[in-house]
Amino acid sequence: MLHRCSKCDSDMEEGFLLEKGDSGVLSPQAWVTGKPEKSFFSGVSIKGKQMYDVKTFRCNACGYLESYALGVQ
Ligand SMILES: [Zn+2]
């Protein structure tokens, strides 16, 4: 999939946004439906919500980020 920056029309590179957890746990970020609800156990409750893998493109020229939520996890 070839992407062009919507700001400056340069080539964009595929990647993802990384989540750095407290204990050094690394994981890709996800997009979740609705509003965040606080949970005592996990910080934020995602019970009953849909989660999508997020693919983020970065412009090689200006650094602009463009994200796509694709496929349910
Ligand atoms: Zn750009």
Side-chain angles (χ1 to χ4, degrees):
M1 204 170 14
L2 185 71
H3 271 259
R4 294 218 153 255
C5 180
S6 60
K7 304 289 176 196
C8 72
D9 205 36
S10 296
D11 286 338
M12 297 188 91
E13 194 176 7
E14 183 180 335
F16 62 90
L17 295 176
L18 187 69
E19 181 118 43
K20 288 186 213 168
D22 288 340
S23 48
V25 179
L26 303 177
S27 58
Q29 287 195 332
W31 187 90
V32 183
T33 56
K35 292 179 179 172
E37 290 160 39
K38 288 232 161 76
S39 159
F40 178 76
F41 296 106
S42 57
V44 169
S45 173
I46 54 165
K47 209 171 140 194
K49 295 184 188 297
Q50 275 198 317
M51 252 205 314
Y52 293 85
D53 286 324
V54 177
K55 194 183 269 191
T56 301
F57 290 83
R58 179 187 171 274
C59 175
N60 289 320
C62 74
Y64 178 69
L65 296 177
E66 196 170 61
S67 294
Y68 294 84
L70 302 161
V72 180
Q73 272 186 352

Coordinates of all heavy atoms in Angstrom, one line a residue:
M1 N 0.8 -1.2 0.0 CA 0.0 0.0 0.0 C 0.9 1.3 0.0 O 1.6 1.5 0.9 CB -0.9 0.0 1.2 CG -2.1 0.8 1.0 SD -3.5 0.7 2.2 CE -2.8 -0.1 3.7
L2 N 0.8 2.0 -1.1 CA 1.6 3.2 -1.1 C 0.8 4.4 -0.7 O -0.3 4.7 -1.1 CB 2.1 3.5 -2.6 CG 3.1 4.6 -2.7 CD1 4.5 4.3 -2.1 CD2 3.3 5.0 -4.2
H3 N 1.4 5.2 0.3 CA 0.6 6.3 0.8 C 1.4 7.6 0.5 O 2.6 7.7 0.6 CB 0.5 6.2 2.3 CG -0.8 5.4 2.7 ND1 -1.9 6.0 3.1 CD2 -1.0 4.1 2.7 CE1 -2.9 5.1 3.4 NE2 -2.3 3.9 3.1
R4 N 0.6 8.6 0.3 CA 1.1 10.0 0.1 C 0.6 10.9 1.2 O -0.5 10.8 1.5 CB 0.7 10.5 -1.3 CG 1.3 9.7 -2.5 CD 1.7 10.6 -3.6 NE 2.8 10.0 -4.4 CZ 4.1 10.4 -4.3 NH1 4.4 11.4 -3.5 NH2 5.0 9.8 -5.0
C5 N 1.5 11.7 1.6 CA 1.2 12.7 2.7 C 0.1 13.6 2.2 O 0.2 14.2 1.1 CB 2.4 13.4 3.1 SG 2.1 14.6 4.4
S6 N -1.0 13.8 3.0 CA -2.0 14.7 2.6 C -1.6 16.2 2.8 O -2.3 17.1 2.5 CB -3.3 14.4 3.4 OG -3.1 14.5 4.8
K7 N -0.5 16.4 3.5 CA 0.0 17.8 3.8 C 1.0 18.2 2.8 O 0.9 19.4 2.3 CB 0.6 17.9 5.2 CG -0.3 17.4 6.3 CD -1.4 18.4 6.6 CE -2.3 17.8 7.7 NZ -3.6 18.5 7.7
C8 N 1.9 17.4 2.4 CA 3.0 17.8 1.5 C 3.2 16.9 0.3 O 4.1 17.1 -0.5 CB 4.3 18.0 2.3 SG 5.1 16.4 2.8
D9 N 2.4 15.8 0.2 CA 2.4 14.9 -1.0 C 3.7 14.1 -1.1 O 4.1 13.7 -2.2 CB 2.1 15.7 -2.3 CG 1.6 14.8 -3.3 OD1 0.8 13.9 -3.0 OD2 1.9 15.0 -4.5
S10 N 4.5 13.9 0.0 CA 5.6 13.1 0.0 C 5.3 11.6 0.3 O 4.2 11.4 0.7 CB 6.7 13.6 1.0 OG 7.1 14.9 0.6
D11 N 6.2 10.7 0.2 CA 6.0 9.3 0.5 C 5.8 9.1 2.0 O 6.5 9.8 2.8 CB 7.2 8.4 0.1 CG 7.2 8.3 -1.4 OD1 6.1 8.4 -2.1 OD2 8.3 7.9 -2.0
M12 N 4.9 8.2 2.4 CA 4.7 7.9 3.8 C 5.2 6.5 4.1 O 5.0 5.6 3.2 CB 3.3 8.1 4.2 CG 2.8 9.5 4.1 SD 1.1 9.7 4.8 CE 1.5 10.2 6.4
E13 N 5.7 6.2 5.3 CA 6.2 5.0 5.7 C 5.3 4.3 6.7 O 4.8 5.0 7.6 CB 7.6 5.2 6.4 CG 8.4 3.9 6.6 CD 9.8 4.2 7.1 OE1 10.0 5.4 7.5 OE2 10.6 3.3 7.2
E14 N 5.0 3.0 6.6 CA 4.1 2.3 7.5 C 4.7 2.0 8.8 O 5.9 1.7 8.9 CB 3.6 1.0 6.8 CG 2.6 0.3 7.7 CD 2.1 -1.0 7.1 OE1 2.2 -1.2 5.9 OE2 1.7 -1.9 7.9
G15 N 3.9 2.1 9.9 CA 4.4 1.8 11.2 C 3.3 1.7 12.2 O 2.1 1.6 11.8
F16 N 3.6 1.8 13.5 CA 2.5 1.8 14.5 C 3.0 2.6 15.7 O 4.2 2.8 15.9 CB 2.1 0.4 14.9 CG 3.2 -0.4 15.5 CD1 3.4 -0.4 16.8 CD2 4.1 -1.2 14.7 CE1 4.5 -1.2 17.4 CE2 5.1 -1.9 15.2 CZ 5.3 -1.9 16.6
L17 N 2.0 3.1 16.5 CA 2.3 3.8 17.7 C 2.5 2.8 18.8 O 1.7 1.9 19.0 CB 1.2 4.7 18.1 CG 1.0 5.9 17.1 CD1 -0.2 6.7 17.5 CD2 2.2 6.8 17.0
L18 N 3.6 2.9 19.6 CA 4.0 2.0 20.6 C 3.5 2.5 22.0 O 3.7 3.6 22.3 CB 5.5 1.8 20.6 CG 6.0 0.7 21.5 CD1 5.6 -0.7 21.0 CD2 7.5 0.7 21.5
E19 N 3.0 1.6 22.8 CA 2.6 1.8 24.1 C 3.6 1.3 25.1 O 4.0 0.1 25.0 CB 1.3 1.1 24.4 CG 0.7 1.3 25.8 CD -0.6 2.0 25.7 OE1 -1.4 1.6 24.9 OE2 -0.8 3.0 26.5
K20 N 4.2 2.2 25.9 CA 5.2 1.7 26.9 C 4.6 1.6 28.2 O 4.3 2.6 28.9 CB 6.4 2.7 26.9 CG 7.2 2.7 25.7 CD 8.4 3.6 25.8 CE 8.8 4.2 24.5 NZ 9.8 5.3 24.7
G21 N 4.4 0.4 28.7 CA 3.7 0.1 30.0 C 4.7 0.4 31.1 O 5.9 0.6 30.9
D22 N 4.1 0.3 32.4 CA 4.9 0.6 33.6 C 6.1 -0.3 33.8 O 7.2 0.1 34.1 CB 4.0 0.4 34.8 CG 3.0 1.6 34.9 OD1 3.3 2.6 34.3 OD2 2.0 1.4 35.6
S23 N 5.9 -1.6 33.5 CA 7.0 -2.6 33.7 C 7.8 -2.8 32.5 O 8.3 -3.9 32.3 CB 6.4 -3.9 34.3 OG 5.3 -4.3 33.5
G24 N 7.9 -1.9 31.6 CA 8.6 -2.0 30.4 C 8.0 -2.9 29.4 O 8.6 -3.3 28.4
V25 N 6.7 -3.1 29.5 CA 5.9 -3.9 28.6 C 5.6 -3.1 27.3 O 5.0 -2.0 27.5 CB 4.6 -4.5 29.2 CG1 3.9 -5.3 28.1 CG2 4.9 -5.3 30.4
L26 N 6.0 -3.6 26.2 CA 5.8 -2.8 25.0 C 4.6 -3.5 24.2 O 4.6 -4.7 24.0 CB 7.0 -2.8 24.1 CG 8.3 -2.2 24.7 CD1 9.4 -2.4 23.7 CD2 8.1 -0.8 25.1
S27 N 3.7 -2.6 23.7 CA 2.6 -3.2 22.9 C 2.1 -2.1 21.9 O 2.2 -0.9 22.2 CB 1.5 -3.6 23.8 OG 1.0 -2.6 24.6
P28 N 1.6 -2.6 20.8 CA 1.1 -1.6 19.8 C -0.2 -1.0 20.4 O -1.0 -1.7 21.1 CB 0.8 -2.4 18.6 CG 0.8 -3.8 19.0 CD 1.5 -3.9 20.3
Q29 N -0.6 0.2 20.0 CA -1.8 0.9 20.5 C -3.0 0.3 19.7 O -2.8 -0.1 18.6 CB -1.7 2.4 20.3 CG -0.8 3.0 21.3 CD -0.9 4.5 21.4 OE1 -1.3 5.1 20.4 NE2 -0.6 5.1 22.6
A30 N -4.1 0.4 20.3 CA -5.4 0.0 19.7 C -6.4 1.1 19.7 O -6.3 2.0 20.6 CB -5.9 -1.2 20.4
W31 N -7.3 1.1 18.8 CA -8.4 2.1 18.8 C -9.7 1.4 19.4 O -10.0 0.3 19.0 CB -8.7 2.6 17.4 CG -9.7 3.7 17.4 CD1 -9.5 5.0 17.5 CD2 -11.2 3.6 17.2 NE1 -10.7 5.7 17.4 CE2 -11.7 4.8 17.3 CE3 -12.0 2.5 17.1 CZ2 -13.1 5.1 17.2 CZ3 -13.4 2.7 17.0 CH2 -13.9 4.0 17.1
V32 N -10.3 2.0 20.4 CA -11.4 1.4 21.1 C -12.7 2.3 20.9 O -12.6 3.5 21.0 CB -11.1 1.2 22.6 CG1 -12.3 0.5 23.3 CG2 -9.8 0.5 22.8
T33 N -13.8 1.6 20.7 CA -15.1 2.4 20.5 C -15.5 3.0 21.9 O -15.2 2.5 22.9 CB -16.2 1.5 20.1 OG1 -16.4 0.4 21.0 CG2 -16.0 0.9 18.7
G34 N -16.2 4.1 21.8 CA -16.8 4.8 23.0 C -15.8 5.6 23.8 O -14.7 6.0 23.3
K35 N -16.2 5.9 25.0 CA -15.4 6.7 25.9 C -14.7 5.8 26.9 O -15.2 4.8 27.3 CB -16.3 7.7 26.7 CG -16.9 8.8 25.8 CD -17.8 9.7 26.6 CE -18.4 10.8 25.6 NZ -19.4 11.6 26.3
P36 N -13.5 6.3 27.4 CA -12.8 5.4 28.3 C -13.5 5.4 29.7 O -13.9 6.4 30.2 CB -11.4 6.1 28.4 CG -11.6 7.5 28.0 CD -12.8 7.5 27.0
E37 N -13.6 4.2 30.2 CA -14.2 4.0 31.6 C -13.1 3.5 32.5 O -12.5 2.5 32.2 CB -15.4 3.1 31.5 CG -16.6 3.6 30.8 CD -17.5 2.5 30.3 OE1 -17.7 1.5 31.1 OE2 -18.0 2.6 29.2
K38 N -12.9 4.2 33.6 CA -11.9 3.8 34.6 C -12.2 2.5 35.2 O -13.3 2.2 35.5 CB -11.8 4.9 35.7 CG -11.2 6.2 35.2 CD -10.0 6.6 36.1 CE -9.1 7.6 35.4 NZ -9.7 9.0 35.3
S39 N -11.1 1.7 35.3 CA -11.3 0.4 35.9 C -10.2 0.2 37.0 O -9.0 0.6 36.8 CB -11.1 -0.7 34.9 OG -10.8 -2.0 35.5
F40 N -10.6 -0.3 38.2 CA -9.6 -0.5 39.2 C -8.5 -1.4 38.9 O -7.3 -1.3 39.2 CB -10.3 -1.0 40.5 CG -9.4 -1.2 41.7 CD1 -8.9 -0.1 42.4 CD2 -9.0 -2.5 42.0 CE1 -8.0 -0.3 43.5 CE2 -8.2 -2.7 43.1 CZ -7.7 -1.6 43.8
F41 N -8.8 -2.5 38.1 CA -7.9 -3.5 37.8 C -6.9 -3.2 36.7 O -5.8 -3.4 36.7 CB -8.6 -4.8 37.5 CG -9.4 -5.3 38.7 CD1 -10.8 -5.2 38.8 CD2 -8.8 -5.9 39.8 CE1 -11.5 -5.6 39.9 CE2 -9.5 -6.3 40.9 CZ -10.8 -6.2 40.9
S42 N -7.5 -2.7 35.6 CA -6.7 -2.5 34.4 C -6.4 -1.1 34.0 O -5.9 -0.8 32.9 CB -7.3 -3.3 33.2 OG -8.6 -2.9 33.0
G43 N -6.9 -0.1 34.8 CA -6.7 1.3 34.5 C -7.9 1.8 33.7 O -8.6 2.7 34.1
V44 N -8.1 1.2 32.5 CA -9.3 1.5 31.7 C -10.0 0.3 31.4 O -9.4 -0.7 31.0 CB -8.9 2.3 30.5 CG1 -10.0 2.4 29.5 CG2 -8.3 3.7 30.8
S45 N -11.4 0.3 31.5 CA -12.1 -0.9 31.1 C -12.5 -1.0 29.7 O -12.9 0.0 29.1 CB -13.4 -0.9 32.0 OG -14.2 -2.0 31.5
I46 N -12.2 -2.1 29.0 CA -12.6 -2.2 27.6 C -13.6 -3.3 27.4 O -13.8 -3.8 26.3 CB -11.3 -2.5 26.7 CG1 -10.6 -3.7 27.3 CG2 -10.4 -1.3 26.7 CD1 -9.6 -4.3 26.3
K47 N -14.3 -3.6 28.6 CA -15.3 -4.7 28.5 C -16.4 -4.3 27.6 O -17.0 -3.2 27.7 CB -15.9 -4.8 29.9 CG -16.4 -6.2 30.2 CD -16.7 -6.3 31.7 CE -18.0 -7.2 31.9 NZ -18.5 -7.0 33.3
G48 N -16.8 -5.2 26.7 CA -17.9 -5.0 25.8 C -17.6 -4.0 24.7 O -18.5 -3.6 23.9
K49 N -16.3 -3.5 24.6 CA -16.0 -2.6 23.5 C -15.2 -3.3 22.4 O -14.6 -4.3 22.6 CB -15.1 -1.5 24.1 CG -15.8 -0.6 25.1 CD -14.9 0.5 25.5 CE -15.4 1.3 26.7 NZ -16.6 2.0 26.4
Q50 N -15.3 -2.7 21.2 CA -14.6 -3.3 20.1 C -13.2 -2.6 20.0 O -13.1 -1.4 20.2 CB -15.4 -3.0 18.8 CG -16.4 -4.1 18.5 CD -16.8 -4.1 17.1 OE1 -17.0 -3.0 16.5 NE2 -16.9 -5.3 16.5
M51 N -12.2 -3.4 19.7 CA -10.9 -2.9 19.6 C -10.3 -3.1 18.2 O -10.6 -4.2 17.6 CB -10.0 -3.7 20.6 CG -9.5 -2.8 21.7 SD -8.0 -3.3 22.5 CE -8.1 -5.0 22.7
Y52 N -9.6 -2.2 17.7 CA -9.1 -2.3 16.3 C -7.6 -2.1 16.4 O -7.1 -1.3 17.1 CB -9.7 -1.2 15.4 CG -11.1 -1.3 15.1 CD1 -12.1 -0.8 16.0 CD2 -11.6 -2.0 14.0 CE1 -13.4 -1.0 15.7 CE2 -12.9 -2.1 13.7 CZ -13.8 -1.6 14.6 OH -15.2 -1.7 14.3
D53 N -6.9 -2.9 15.5 CA -5.5 -2.7 15.3 C -5.3 -1.3 14.6 O -6.1 -1.0 13.7 CB -4.9 -3.7 14.4 CG -4.7 -5.1 15.1 OD1 -4.4 -5.0 16.3 OD2 -4.9 -6.1 14.5
V54 N -4.3 -0.5 15.1 CA -4.1 0.8 14.4 C -2.8 0.8 13.6 O -1.7 0.4 14.2 CB -4.1 1.9 15.5 CG1 -3.7 3.2 14.8 CG2 -5.4 2.0 16.2
K55 N -2.9 1.1 12.4 CA -1.7 1.2 11.5 C -1.5 2.7 11.3 O -2.4 3.5 11.0 CB -2.1 0.6 10.2 CG -0.9 0.3 9.3 CD -1.4 -0.3 8.0 CE -1.5 -1.8 8.0 NZ -1.7 -2.4 6.7
T56 N -0.3 3.2 11.5 CA 0.0 4.6 11.4 C 1.1 4.9 10.4 O 2.2 4.2 10.5 CB 0.4 5.2 12.8 OG1 -0.6 5.0 13.7 CG2 0.7 6.7 12.7
F57 N 0.8 5.7 9.5 CA 1.8 6.1 8.4 C 2.5 7.4 8.8 O 1.8 8.3 9.4 CB 1.2 6.2 7.1 CG 0.7 4.9 6.5 CD1 -0.5 4.4 6.9 CD2 1.5 4.2 5.6 CE1 -1.0 3.1 6.4 CE2 1.1 3.0 5.1 CZ -0.1 2.4 5.5
R58 N 3.8 7.5 8.6 CA 4.6 8.7 8.9 C 5.2 9.2 7.6 O 5.8 8.5 6.9 CB 5.7 8.3 9.9 CG 6.5 9.5 10.3 CD 7.7 9.2 11.1 NE 8.6 10.3 11.2 CZ 9.5 10.6 10.4 NH1 9.7 9.9 9.3 NH2 10.3 11.7 10.5
C59 N 5.0 10.5 7.5 CA 5.5 11.2 6.3 C 7.1 11.4 6.5 O 7.5 11.8 7.5 CB 4.9 12.6 6.1 SG 5.7 13.5 4.8
N60 N 7.8 10.9 5.5 CA 9.3 11.0 5.5 C 9.8 12.4 5.5 O 10.8 12.8 5.9 CB 9.9 10.2 4.4 CG 9.7 8.7 4.6 OD1 9.9 8.2 5.7 ND2 9.4 8.0 3.5
A61 N 9.0 13.3 4.9 CA 9.4 14.7 4.7 C 9.0 15.6 5.9 O 9.8 16.3 6.4 CB 8.8 15.3 3.4
C62 N 7.7 15.6 6.3 CA 7.3 16.6 7.3 C 6.9 15.9 8.6 O 6.6 16.6 9.6 CB 6.1 17.4 6.8 SG 4.5 16.5 6.7
G63 N 6.9 14.6 8.7 CA 6.6 13.9 10.0 C 5.2 13.8 10.3 O 4.8 13.3 11.4
Y64 N 4.3 14.2 9.4 CA 2.8 14.0 9.7 C 2.4 12.6 9.9 O 2.9 11.7 9.1 CB 2.1 14.6 8.5 CG 0.6 14.5 8.6 CD1 -0.1 15.3 9.5 CD2 -0.2 13.7 7.8 CE1 -1.5 15.2 9.7 CE2 -1.5 13.6 7.9 CZ -2.2 14.4 8.8 OH -3.6 14.3 8.9
L65 N 1.6 12.3 10.8 CA 1.1 11.0 11.1 C -0.3 10.8 10.7 O -1.2 11.7 10.9 CB 1.2 10.6 12.6 CG 2.6 10.6 13.2 CD1 2.5 10.4 14.7 CD2 3.5 9.6 12.6
E66 N -0.6 9.7 10.0 CA -2.0 9.4 9.6 C -2.3 7.9 10.0 O -1.6 7.0 9.7 CB -2.0 9.5 8.0 CG -3.4 9.6 7.5 CD -3.4 9.9 6.0 OE1 -2.8 9.1 5.2 OE2 -3.9 11.0 5.6
S67 N -3.4 7.8 10.8 CA -3.7 6.5 11.4 C -4.9 5.9 10.8 O -5.9 6.5 10.4 CB -3.9 6.6 12.9 OG -2.8 7.0 13.5
Y68 N -4.9 4.5 10.7 CA -6.0 3.7 10.2 C -6.4 2.6 11.2 O -5.5 1.9 11.6 CB -5.7 3.1 8.8 CG -5.5 4.1 7.7 CD1 -4.3 4.7 7.6 CD2 -6.6 4.5 6.9 CE1 -4.1 5.7 6.6 CE2 -6.4 5.4 5.9 CZ -5.1 6.0 5.7 OH -5.0 6.9 4.8
A69 N -7.6 2.5 11.6 CA -8.0 1.5 12.5 C -8.6 0.3 11.6 O -9.6 0.5 11.0 CB -9.1 2.0 13.5
L70 N -7.8 -0.8 11.6 CA -8.2 -1.9 10.7 C -8.3 -3.2 11.4 O -7.5 -3.5 12.2 CB -7.0 -2.0 9.6 CG -6.7 -0.8 8.8 CD1 -5.4 -1.0 8.1 CD2 -7.8 -0.7 7.7
G71 N -9.4 -3.9 11.2 CA -9.6 -5.2 11.7 C -9.8 -5.3 13.2 O -9.1 -4.6 13.9
V72 N -10.7 -6.1 13.6 CA -11.0 -6.2 15.1 C -10.0 -7.2 15.7 O -9.6 -8.2 15.1 CB -12.4 -6.7 15.3 CG1 -12.7 -6.9 16.7 CG2 -13.4 -5.8 14.6
Q73 N -9.4 -6.8 16.8 CA -8.4 -7.6 17.5 C -9.1 -8.8 18.2 O -10.1 -8.7 18.7 CB -7.7 -6.8 18.6 CG -6.5 -6.1 18.1 CD -5.7 -5.4 19.2 OE1 -6.1 -5.4 20.3 NE2 -4.5 -4.9 18.8
Ligands
ZN1 ZN 4.3 15.4 4.7

